[in-house]
């Protein structure tokens, strides 16, 4: 990983130019994450924004790699909801815990994988047959799991607005890695 501080007013354009030039020079794709930094005047010693900019660029790069965007260039703004949530400091982990906490706690206490059932259910378009096949379980066993999940997350867990929140949390959990229960 190489972090470079470069001049420019548009972090996305700078990331694209650097990625293109380095890819040509190195003979292979280069992943570049851009992050804007407040304007630093020539001969200024006001470098206080650099640590935050570095951290944001590093988080953007980590997210890009987790999303399978190797060889591409992006800024947090280019990452859609992932960039919005990751831009919030400690909020991504809190968001995941808030949305999935009861299931994660249940799994941790009992050694189960209900969280994988939630992920598979949404990943198969909430289709019971496809989910059961994907998980290699009998449809009745899947029904029992989904009932348990409903008790843990609340009956509204499959309603559109809540389902979106849960799916976002699942995606962030994939990006962030396991969140402490």
């Amino acid at each position: 990983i190489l972090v470079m501080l470069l001049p420019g007013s548009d972090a996305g354009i700078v990331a694209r130019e650097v990625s293109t030039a380095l890819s040509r020079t190195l003979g292979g794709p280069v992943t570049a994450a851009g992050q804007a930094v407040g304007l630093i005047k020539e001969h200024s010693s006001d470098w206080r924004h650099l640590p935050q900019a570095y951290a944001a660029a590093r988080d953007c790069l980590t997210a890009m790699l987790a999303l399978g965007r190797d060889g591409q260039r992006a800024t947090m703004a280019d990452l859609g909801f992932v960039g919005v949530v990751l831009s919030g400091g400690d909020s991504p982990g809190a968001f995941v815990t808030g949305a999935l906490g009861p299931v994660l706690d249940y799994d941790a206490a009992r050694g189960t994988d209900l969280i994988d059932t939630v992920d598979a259910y949404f990943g198969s378009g909430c289709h019971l047959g496809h989910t059961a096949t994907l998980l290699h379980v009998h449809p009745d066993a899947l029904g029992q799991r989904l009932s348990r999940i409903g008790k843990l997350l609340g009956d509204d867990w499959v309603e559109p607005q809540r389902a979106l929140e849960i799916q976002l949390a699942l995606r962030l959990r994939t990006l962030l890695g396991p969140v402490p229960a």
Side-chain angles (χ1 to χ4, degrees):
I1 294 178
L2 172 65
V3 176
M4 299 177 0
L5 303 174
L6 301 168
S9 58
D10 186 324
I13 291 172
V14 173
R16 184 172 39 258
E17 290 171 354
V18 168
S19 176
T20 300
L22 285 175
S23 293
R24 201 171 320 134
T25 301
L26 298 173
V30 171
T31 307
Q35 174 61 40
V37 179
L39 199 56
I40 299 174
K41 295 182 174 90
E42 191 175 343
H43 305 297
S44 171
S45 60
D46 185 11
W47 302 98
R48 65 176 176 242
H49 302 293
L50 295 182
Q52 294 90 351
Y54 168 80
R58 185 193 63 230
D59 290 347
C60 182
L61 181 61
T62 300
M64 289 174 65
L65 296 175
L67 290 168
R69 294 183 63 171
D70 303 43
Q72 297 180 18
R73 51 263 189 213
T75 63
M76 280 293 197
D78 297 326
L79 297 180
F81 86 88
V82 172
V84 170
V85 176
L86 288 178
S87 296
D90 293 335
S91 65
F95 179 80
V96 170
T97 301
L100 302 173
V103 174
L104 296 171
D105 292 344
Y106 185 92
D107 282 349
R110 291 172 179 77
T112 57
D113 288 317
L114 286 180
I115 197 68
D116 292 339
T117 300
V118 175
D119 198 23
Y121 183 68
F122 285 121
S124 66
C126 303
H127 189 279
L128 296 174
H130 293 153
T131 305
T133 300
L134 184 65
L135 294 172
H136 307 289
V137 298
H138 191 276
D140 291 342
L142 175 61
Q144 292 172 356
R145 289 183 188 185
L146 295 175
S147 176
R148 171 65 58 197
I149 292 164
K151 288 178 182 165
L152 293 168
L153 295 178
D155 293 333
D156 67 339
W157 77 281
V158 292
E159 296 299 321
Q161 186 170 343
R162 184 78 191 285
L164 175 61
E165 178 181 300
I166 291 168
Q167 290 175 67
L168 292 175
L170 288 167
R171 186 72 180 259
L172 282 172
R173 184 173 176 267
T174 300
L175 293 169
L176 298 171
V179 177

